[in-house]
Amino acid sequence: MDTSTPITKTISLNEYGIKNEHIHYQLSSEQLHDLTIEMDMGKEASSGTLAVNTGEFTGRSPMDRFIVKDSITEEKIWWGDINIPFETEKFDKLYDKVIAYLNEKELFVRDCYACADAAYKLNIRVINEYPWSNMFAYNMFLRPTEDELAAFSPEWTVINAPGFIADAQLDGTRQHNFAILNFSRKIALIGGTGYTGEIKKGIFSALNFILPVFKNTLPMHCSANVGEAGDTAIFFGLSGTGKTTLSTDPNRKLIGDDEHGWTADNTVFNFEGGCYAKVINLSKEQEPEIYGAIKKGAILENVIMNADGDVDFGDTSITQNTRVSYPIHHIDNIQQPSIGKNVKNIFFLTADAFGVLPPISKLTPAQAAYHFISGYTAKVAGTEAGVVEPQPSFSACFGAPFMPLHPTKYAEMLSNKMQESGVDVWLINTGWTGGPYGVGTRMKLKYTRAMISAALSGELGLYNYDKYHIHSVFGVAQPRECPGVPTSVLSPRATWNNDEAYYKTAFKLTNAFRENFKKFEAHASEEIRRGGPQRYAF
Ligand code: ATP
Ligand code: MN
């Protein structure tokens, strides 16, 4: 775990075709921090944190993510806009080009692994062009002990060359940047983008294929934590819905904030060794644990600082997607190793910018399957060019861009697990209340946290109709009361003060749900189809 002892082992990259004298192997976090500043690629914030700019890309580029179509993947992958095929020959050529590009460069190499459960451990070698990207790998993947390192044999390799520019015509890419997975060669090849998230999501996507296909384990885009009684809770949700924020809870031990596997033995393990939090509008008062994790060892991305190195978390002039990565031990209350047992509650987080979904509701198993397959959240103005009013956004399994198999594969596995473990499933709207985006306001974090604790502690009571109201449009069970939350907040319609506008907007959303679900209808049972909204506009 501790890399303060300098690593004396040297390695050769000959097996990758890389001939290079300038290899920095397994540098410590401090060394990488210092080198980044020396090389003028980053600055130190007043908190001691390294701050970098990731360059042209400040987010992932889903349209430039490919999977090599070969004998392993051909029959199994759900090919389409999300999993875009890439030819083996083209990959091999592009690989050689990237290697030739890296040959002349100083390189940063790190051996690490994914999956906190030893039975699933995936050894990874990360080869970076830049020191800060290598520090990101230190923060986000699991850190081998010295003994583990001595015997280390890499299984997957991430090759990360942000400065390499592809020629789309020649190389078969869409444009100059790419992230390509090759399951036969076990390589994630990333070029033309410095966005660090591509590194972690590359391995995540690989595991999302490997675990269900070969290890009978459900991979999930979710965060997880464990309570004092040893009960595990998992939180699914698309980007910005609150996975990292809500799993970082002083009263529960953090297992992980983004990527987990649910095994056949009913345990949940983290794939990663760190967290990657959004820092837009971050405040010490609202999110003290994450705020406190931003110190030496962490890496801030694309934030604006003043001359004293104080970060302005409200400044989105580079991007809305400002981030910080830190090793998980920057959070005080963590589960070690990052494995939980006894899953009791599942939360589906959605940031409903229409402001029509209840802030908390309980789902039946059929509703849970329906909402998992739908994966609804909303996009609000500003996050993407051209988005001026809220737009529904559906991403199957709350993580379609990272899921190589057909969504119903993961949904089936989840349904089985839900049945076996008898979990309670809750739909949480962390989005708008009192009206849609532009009229209403974002749900208070304090209230969302209170609703989640009430669900976790059992205070929301047994599932009976006296304590719940069945929503007339969505069909979900909405609690009438919740400790720590004003009763009026629990009913979205009541917060609008305009029934007509509320129902009109609610129908707009249910129609979007129906439209989206069409492509899954053939795969879904009658029961699951009935788990959807109850009323639509005609
Ligand atoms: P990603 O998959 O991109 O990592 P995420 O699901 O982890 O996304 P968070 O990083 O937790 O998302 O982002 C949630 C953001 O919304 C934070 O900036 C948080 O401060 C803000 N927020 C505001 N109100 C709420 C609320 N009621 N519940 C949760 N988050 C809220
Ligand atoms: Mn997150």
Side-chain angles (χ1 to χ4, degrees), residues 272-287:
E272 303 181 283
C275 303
Y276 192 39
K278 282 176 174 288
V279 295
I280 179 175
N281 297 326
L282 182 73
S283 81
K284 191 177 176 179
E285 293 66 40
Q286 301 253 0
E287 298 181 62

Side-chain angles (χ1 to χ4, degrees), residues 57 98 159-166 176-180 189-194:
F57 292 92
V98 174
I159 299 179
N160 175 237
F164 176 90
I165 300 297
H176 59 285
N177 61 300
F178 53 87
I180 313 174
L189 187 67
I190 303 166
T193 168

Side-chain angles (χ1 to χ4, degrees), residues 7-327:
I7 303 294
T8 44
K9 181 172 156 184
T10 52
I11 57 153
S12 145
L13 296 180
N14 281 345
E15 61 183 291
Y16 304 95
I18 300 178
K19 293 178 201 67
N20 203 316
E21 302 288 301
H22 318 284
I23 296 167
H24 297 285
Y25 177 65
Q26 215 73 4
L27 295 192
S28 69
S29 167
E30 293 80 3
Q31 287 171 315
L32 292 165
H33 172 114
D34 292 345
L35 263 172
T36 301
I37 293 168
E38 254 170 55
M39 292 166 77
D40 206 21
M41 293 181 145
K43 291 197 171 74
E44 192 173 290
S46 55
S47 56
T49 314
L50 179 66
V52 300
N53 287 351
T54 59
E56 179 189 356
F57 292 92
T58 57
R60 286 178 308 99
S61 188
M63 290 198 292
D64 300 297
R65 175 204 175 260
F66 307 90
I67 298 178
V68 175
K69 197 175 208 172
D70 56 25
S71 58
I72 297 179
T73 58
E74 185 165 14
E75 304 282 309
K76 295 197 173 72
I77 301 272
W78 187 42
W79 301 106
D81 298 348
I82 292 171
N83 298 302
I84 311 166
F86 205 82
E87 286 170 30
T88 296
E89 297 71 32
K90 289 234 159 96
F91 178 89
D92 292 346
K93 277 196 184 140
L94 184 54
Y95 176 88
D96 290 344
K97 258 177 96 169
V98 174
I99 295 301
Y101 168 82
L102 291 176
N103 263 335
E104 297 138 38
K105 305 266 179 320
E106 201 171 346
L107 295 178
F108 302 85
V109 180
R110 151 152 266 108
D111 288 340
C112 46
Y113 66 95
C115 301
D117 185 328
Y120 299 86
K121 194 169 170 186
L122 184 81
N123 280 351
I124 303 165
R125 172 164 291 170
V126 186
I127 302 175
N128 298 105
E129 183 180 356
Y130 301 148
W132 49 271
S133 327
N134 196 246
M135 186 172 158
F136 176 85
Y138 172 83
N139 285 354
M140 297 306 299
F141 292 119
L142 286 147
R143 295 156 286 272
T145 61
E146 260 177 71
D147 285 349
E148 284 171 328
L149 207 54
F152 195 90
S153 145
E155 186 176 348
W156 270 74
T157 305
V158 179
I159 299 179
N160 175 237
F164 176 90
I165 300 297
D167 179 332
Q169 285 262 301
L170 274 174
D171 299 328
T173 54
R174 185 182 71 100
Q175 51 175 37
H176 59 285
N177 61 300
F178 53 87
I180 313 174
L181 285 179
N182 186 325
F183 283 89
S184 295
R185 293 182 67 177
K186 300 187 177 177
I187 293 171
L189 187 67
I190 303 166
T193 168
Y195 185 62
T196 52
E198 298 279 11
I199 299 171
K200 82 178 208 100
K201 284 299 193 324
I203 291 298
F204 183 45
S205 301
L207 284 165
N208 291 340
F209 180 81
I210 297 165
L211 293 179
V213 172
F214 303 113
K215 307 241 170 166
N216 190 23
T217 285
L218 171 67
M220 306 175 288
H221 185 217
C222 71
S223 59
N225 63 22
V226 51
E228 257 164 36
D231 63 300
T232 295
I234 57 188
F235 305 77
F236 286 94
L238 290 159
S239 186
T241 57
K243 290 185 300 301
T244 301
T245 301
L246 298 168
S247 59
T248 312
D249 176 338
N251 300 315
R252 296 176 64 85
K253 289 191 164 116
L254 178 66
I255 300 174
D257 81 325
D258 201 51
E259 309 172 0
H260 293 82
W262 190 344
T263 70
D265 301 330
N266 216 9
T267 61
V268 168
F269 65 89
N270 191 357
F271 294 172
E272 303 181 283
C275 303
Y276 192 39
K278 282 176 174 288
V279 295
I280 179 175
N281 297 326
L282 182 73
S283 81
K284 191 177 176 179
E285 293 66 40
Q286 301 253 0
E287 298 181 62
E289 292 79 19
I290 293 175
Y291 194 91
I294 305 178
K295 58 183 183 186
K296 180 96 189 250
I299 312 174
L300 283 160
E301 295 178 7
N302 304 313
V303 295
I304 301 291
M305 303 190 289
N306 67 14
D308 296 332
D310 299 330
V311 177
D312 179 355
F313 290 112
D315 194 326
T316 57
S317 54
I318 297 178
T319 175
Q320 300 259 347
N321 189 31
T322 52
R323 292 266 177 177
V324 63
S325 68
Y326 47 85

